């Protein structure tokens, strides 16, 4: 929606299909203010996020840019008629080609209706139905800044996750951002966050003598720092929803450190595949297995993995956001499933193989020994 007569603003509502599900985005540009409001999928807990920013060429410099001018089409120069293949709608059509600098558009000769727009190294847009002249619903701009961008969650309707927004929902000026960054004691790229990521071996007060004691010790730290919920009270799909949120909110610099040092905390290369397909398949295998314990193994593995992602892949600032939103974090299950180190059928190997990968905390946080009766080198899943 483009309204340059009354609100002098541009708005675009998008629904993006991602491996996490449908992500709904509302984008508004008015003056030098630019807002992006995201509504994450239901299994990322359906939370809202607002990003407040401004537009600069190349993302740098002091010059801020406004929405495209109302008379931008008047500046286009006619290049000529062309027969062109149009992406996405897979049609070859005769179109009028217009250009202004690096900006190109192709419209229907009879109506002038714009079907395709392109700018090198920037973007390609195809409008199957075109963008003819039409009326504007000015009520779409009634609330600017968007309520989700304002402080005061939850009473104000503001998002729990706001980036670059002041209390009134406007972008924080660059000078203020710089001042805030210098004062922040817990920045995502320095301080305790990075120190913990670079620390290969946890300190003694984060360890236990065995699997059960390790879980009790770490659960004690979780209980004193955030909202928690016992592992046995979670459904495996709920845990996977939570992990999808953690993956979206992760601080990638932490994983860069883990990958360089081959740290067990690193995310597996096929994490996206796990989120999209493997998790669902293993849920079915566990739920249909003749041994009811497989469902508990599946759940407990995700409790451990979710806690590891929360502790080692989220910044302290993001953890505070989740705590303020009262989003609970699972506690670790103290049960070590010895069945996974015995004789298993093919389906059991699949479930237990995933469990062994998820329960990596014990490799650093406990003085864990093999369960009685197992060989020094228990077999792993093929």
């Amino acid at each position: 929606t483009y309204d340059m007569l009354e609100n002098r603003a541009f708005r675009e509502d998008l629904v993006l299909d991602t491996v996490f599900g449908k992500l709904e985005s509302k984008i508004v540009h008015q003056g030098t203010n630019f807002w992006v409001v995201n509504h994450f999928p239901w299994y990322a807990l359906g939370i809202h996020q607002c990003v407040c920013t401004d537009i600069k060429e190349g993302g740098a410099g002091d010059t801020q840019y406004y929405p495209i001018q109302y008379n931008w089409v008047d500046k286009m120069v006619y290049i000529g008629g062309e027969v062109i293949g149009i992406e996405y709608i897979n049609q070859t059509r005769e179109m009028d080609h217009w250009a202004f600098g690096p900006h190109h558009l192709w419209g229907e000769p009879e109506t002038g209706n714009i079907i395709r727009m392109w700018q090198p190294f920037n973007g390609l847009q195809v409008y199957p139905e075109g963008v003819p002249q039409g009326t504007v619903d000015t009520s779409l701009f009634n609330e600017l800044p968007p309520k989700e961008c304002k402080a005061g969650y939850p009473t104000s309707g503001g998002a729990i996750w706001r980036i670059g927004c002041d209390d009134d929902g406007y972008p924080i000026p660059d000078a203020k951002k710089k001042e805030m960054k210098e004062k922040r004691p817990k920045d995502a790229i320095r301080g305790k966050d990075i120190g913990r990521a670079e620390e290969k071996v946890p300190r003694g007060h984060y360890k236990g003598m065995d699997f059960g004691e390790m879980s009790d010790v770490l659960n004690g730290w979780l209980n004193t720092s955030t909202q928690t919920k016992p592992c046995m009270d979670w459904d495996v799909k709920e845990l996977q929803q939570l992990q999808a949120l953690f993956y979206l909110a992760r601080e990638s610099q932490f994983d860069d450190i883990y990958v360089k040092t081959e740290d067990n905390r690193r995310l597996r290369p096929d994490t996206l595949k796990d989120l999209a397909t493997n998790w669902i398949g293993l849920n079915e295998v566990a739920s249909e297995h003749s041994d009811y314990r497989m469902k508990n193994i599946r759940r407990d593995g995700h409790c451990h993995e979710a806690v590891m992602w929360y502790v080692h892949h989220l910044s302290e600032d993001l953890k505070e956001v989740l705590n303020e939103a009262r989003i609970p974090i699972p506690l670790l299950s103290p049960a070590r499933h010895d069945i996974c180190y015995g004789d298993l059928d093919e389906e059991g190997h699949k479930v237990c193989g995933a469990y062994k990968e998820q329960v990596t905390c014990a490799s650093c946080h406990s003085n864990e020994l093999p369960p009685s009766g197992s060989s020094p080198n228990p077999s792993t899943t093929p």
Side-chain angles (χ1 to χ4, degrees):
T1 302
Y2 184 62
D3 177 16
M4 289 306 293
L5 294 179
E6 185 173 331
N7 295 286
R8 299 182 180 179
F10 169 90
R11 170 170 168 163
E12 192 164 13
D13 293 271
L14 305 173
V15 178
L16 308 177
D17 286 315
T18 73
V19 293
F20 309 105
K22 293 187 181 298
L23 171 67
E24 299 176 11
S25 292
K26 175 176 65 180
I27 302 168
V28 183
H29 192 183
Q30 183 187 56
T32 60
N33 302 312
F34 194 93
W35 297 280
V36 180
V37 178
N38 293 317
H39 184 202
F40 288 102
W42 64 270
Y43 60 72
L45 306 183
I47 68 170
H48 283 82
Q49 175 201 58
C50 178
V51 179
C52 304
T53 187
D54 52 37
I55 303 299
K56 299 183 179 72
E57 187 168 357
D62 298 323
T63 303
Q64 298 175 327
Y65 288 93
Y66 293 77
I68 190 167
Q69 295 172 343
Y70 76 96
N71 60 345
W72 65 278
V73 292
D74 294 339
K75 300 182 179 182
M76 305 298 286
V77 176
Y78 181 65
I79 303 299
E82 298 176 355
V83 175
I84 184 172
I86 304 173
E87 301 85 348
Y88 306 121
I89 61 176
N90 298 319
Q91 295 179 3
T92 299
R93 297 170 60 179
E94 182 177 343
M95 308 292 287
D96 282 343
H97 182 186
W98 299 76
F100 175 66
H103 308 278
H104 299 258
L105 70 81
W106 287 260
E108 296 174 332
E110 303 83 7
T111 64
N113 194 8
I114 300 171
I115 302 297
R116 183 181 190 267
M117 294 195 294
W118 175 67
Q119 180 181 350
F121 310 107
N122 193 328
L124 168 66
Q125 294 167 294
V126 174
Y127 301 91
E129 304 301 325
V131 284
Q133 291 288 341
T135 58
V136 174
D137 182 0
T138 58
S139 67
L140 293 173
F141 301 95
N142 281 352
E143 192 169 39
L144 293 180
K147 66 179 181 180
E148 296 91 344
C149 304
K150 299 177 182 178
Y153 172 88
T155 56
S156 70
I160 66 169
W161 191 357
R162 300 185 310 125
I163 300 174
C165 309
D166 65 16
D167 289 348
D168 295 322
Y170 287 97
I172 299 173
D174 290 344
K176 183 66 175 178
K177 286 182 184 178
K178 183 177 180 181
E179 179 184 340
M180 293 168 63
K181 185 174 181 179
E182 291 173 349
K183 291 182 178 180
R184 286 173 68 192
K186 291 178 287 190
D187 190 83
I189 59 171
R190 65 181 183 185
K192 291 183 179 179
D193 280 339
I194 290 298
R196 184 177 62 251
E198 293 176 338
E199 192 174 60
K200 293 279 287 184
V201 180
R203 285 160 285 175
H205 48 281
Y206 292 106
K207 290 185 176 182
M209 288 301 296
D210 55 27
F211 192 94
E213 184 178 329
M214 173 206 71
S215 298
D216 289 341
V217 168
L218 296 181
N219 283 343
W221 285 104
L222 287 170
N223 279 324
T224 59
S225 61
T226 191
Q227 311 285 328
T228 60
K229 180 178 172 181
C231 184
M232 63 183 299
D233 292 341
W234 288 81
D235 177 81
V236 67
K237 292 182 180 179
E238 293 177 333
L239 290 164
Q240 292 167 349
Q241 294 165 16
L242 185 67
Q243 286 187 247
L245 172 62
F246 291 171
Y247 188 84
L248 290 170
R250 73 195 185 281
E251 172 50 59
S252 60
Q253 187 172 354
F254 298 159
D255 199 48
D256 291 342
I257 295 173
Y258 304 144
V259 169
K260 288 179 182 177
T261 59
E262 297 185 356
D263 195 301
N264 279 342
R265 294 172 290 180
R266 68 190 184 277
L267 294 174
R268 295 187 297 276
D270 57 355
T271 297
L272 284 176
K273 182 180 178 182
D274 280 347
L275 289 170
T277 57
N278 291 354
W279 283 358
I280 297 174
L282 285 174
N283 291 350
E284 294 176 354
V285 170
S287 63
E288 296 173 0
H289 199 278
S290 58
D291 191 330
Y292 72 92
R293 291 174 293 181
M294 288 296 166
K295 289 189 288 187
N296 295 338
I297 291 170
R298 187 83 185 113
R299 177 201 64 205
D300 292 355
H302 274 291
C303 284
H304 278 264
E305 189 174 53
V307 169
M308 192 277 283
W309 287 15
Y310 171 79
V311 172
H312 297 294
H313 287 273
L314 302 186
S315 69
E316 289 298 321
D317 287 348
L318 204 287
K319 292 173 188 173
E320 291 176 6
V321 167
L322 298 177
N323 192 31
E324 289 175 5
R326 305 189 68 81
I327 293 176
I329 305 304
L331 294 173
L332 299 173
S333 169
R336 188 180 194 274
H337 295 285
D338 292 350
I339 183 178
C340 285
Y341 298 91
D343 293 330
L344 297 167
D345 59 17
E346 181 180 354
E347 303 304 305
H349 270 298
K350 291 179 181 178
V351 175
C352 284
Y355 172 76
K356 291 175 184 178
E357 288 187 358
Q358 292 169 318
V359 186
T360 58
C361 307
S363 62
C364 291
H365 286 277
S366 74
N367 183 29
E368 181 66 13
L369 299 175
S372 58
S374 69
S375 63
N377 297 297
S379 61
T380 58
T381 303

